[in-house]
Amino acid sequence: MHAHTQPTRKARGLLGFLVALGICHATSALASSDPPIGMNLTQVTDALVDVFKTSRAFWETDRNEWIWDTGVPVPVDEDGYPTSLRPGYAARTLFMEALEGNYPTGTYTLLYDGTGHLIPDIDAHSPVYFDNGGVDNRIEFQVTNPTNVGIVVDITDTDPNDHVRNIRVLRPDEDGTDYVSTYAQQPFRPLFLDRIRNYGALRFMDWMGTNFSPVVSWDDRTELSNKTWSSNFGEGAGMPYEVLVSLCNTAGISPWFCMPHMADDDYVTQFATMIRDQLDPSLDVYVEYSNEVWNGLFVDNAWWQGQSGQNSYAYEQGALRGWACGTCGFFEPYGRWVAERSVQMFGIWESVFGAQSDRIVRVLPIQNGPGNSTPYVLDHVVNGQPAFQQADVVAGAPYFAGEYGPGTPGIDQWTVDDLLDSIEATQFAFDSGPYWAEQTFTLLDNPPYASAGLDYVCYEAGQHLFNFFGSSNDPLSLLFVEANRHPRMGELYTRYHDWWRDAGGSLCVLYTHT
């Protein structure tokens, strides 16, 4: 059994009992028994100094005829930079888009290597050019009126023998910063680092582009030299893993990694080796297979053509092994495959870490609640043992307030207090996320699971107010935003975390950092 750096469920119960008897000082005992709060990281733009790392892949544009996209592919190098242009055409990319103009004004600094000409456009204006002989050429431009379109950069000329590459766009300096001098050593904003400093773990599901990940082999990963470090429009392999490790080392926070659903054994071996060699040895590392494999949103081509969804992939793997059949439960192939591949990956990580294996927290992900895919995940036998005996934690997502949406009767007439009143009344009611989490706690406290000493953690948690398929300016969306900004939502979160602690929960990783 792997060691746990946080108090186990039994240890937390003992601390609470001692407090009740007055044997421990209440403040210190409660502080030591509170489960840590972790955070899922989603938005990359606000974290990075170099905002160009969130740019789209280059496409061909016609600036003379104002054709946004000609549809003609642009030849690019292995890092994604155009190697040549058709006469009269430009290569275009876009970033800081779809933020409704909520990004900084001021002076941006664009650096690039190579020989050519670049034009910042749309939200960018008044460029000033500094030629530095082909290395760290510099353009300073202004953003005074940010829009939802964002910043365009067009390459209008590039030398095929020394093509434009290694573009960096540094955000405006903030209080006490000099990003031109420091970005290479510290890619993250001080404000971002300050805001995450108290978290117990950082889950990199979104930063790794886990959903619909195209990654199969180690060569598919994002390299530090790649022009884009984030997944855009269903493409890309997410952030470079070196950057994720650097963030955890800088912040002193344990990482939670989601292994891509199609990743082969060599990928898992190489990934584990990088983490063993580069991560601060005082930090634990949470290892999970993919993300919500049971979720029918993650099927092939659900959002963009050419995607391989983890739900479709798991069903195929289950069918190959005879777990998908007319008499099988709908969730059986997903649950069994998650257990099978999870245990296989745990074994690889343990082999790589060797004597340091107690740093690995083996995460067995379930759908919140004891039904659906959960029993198949826990009970599936791998190498002669059920999966739950080869894991350290069971992870669910006990969201609250997920039942509110366009179909909620009368919600179009509600005030924010009406909504918060309703949430308060139903936060722990039947069929809520916390209700099903309670059933999971009961399951794990019963044989045969109790003897395994599994902690129950949240891979995602918190409020789940979301206007599916509605725009950000819909009245319902605005109501949900107002509710999230209201002080009463803070009170609901406090009550939620108190419930999670008292129920015996361990690490609670919220979704998501904003």
Side-chain angles (χ1 to χ4, degrees), residues 39-95:
M39 185 58 68
N40 282 270
L41 298 181
T42 305
Q43 177 60 259
V44 177
T45 304
D46 278 342
L48 294 175
V49 173
D50 180 3
V51 295
F52 192 77
K53 291 303 183 185
T54 65
S55 62
R56 289 202 212 178
F58 278 101
W59 69 92
E60 186 183 78
T61 188
D62 187 337
R63 290 179 59 88
N64 296 321
E65 299 297 329
W66 299 105
I67 300 174
W68 180 262
D69 185 352
T70 67
V72 177
V74 175
V76 296
D77 64 16
E78 61 184 5
D79 291 325
Y81 293 101
T83 54
S84 63
L85 303 172
R86 290 201 302 159
Y89 295 90
R92 171 169 289 180
T93 189
L94 176 67
F95 51 101

Side-chain angles (χ1 to χ4, degrees), residues 10-33:
K10 290 184 175 62
R12 282 191 292 274
L14 176 60
L15 284 168
F17 179 67
L18 294 175
V19 170
L21 292 179
I23 297 174
C24 295
H25 187 279
T27 302
S28 60
L30 287 174
S32 64
S33 64

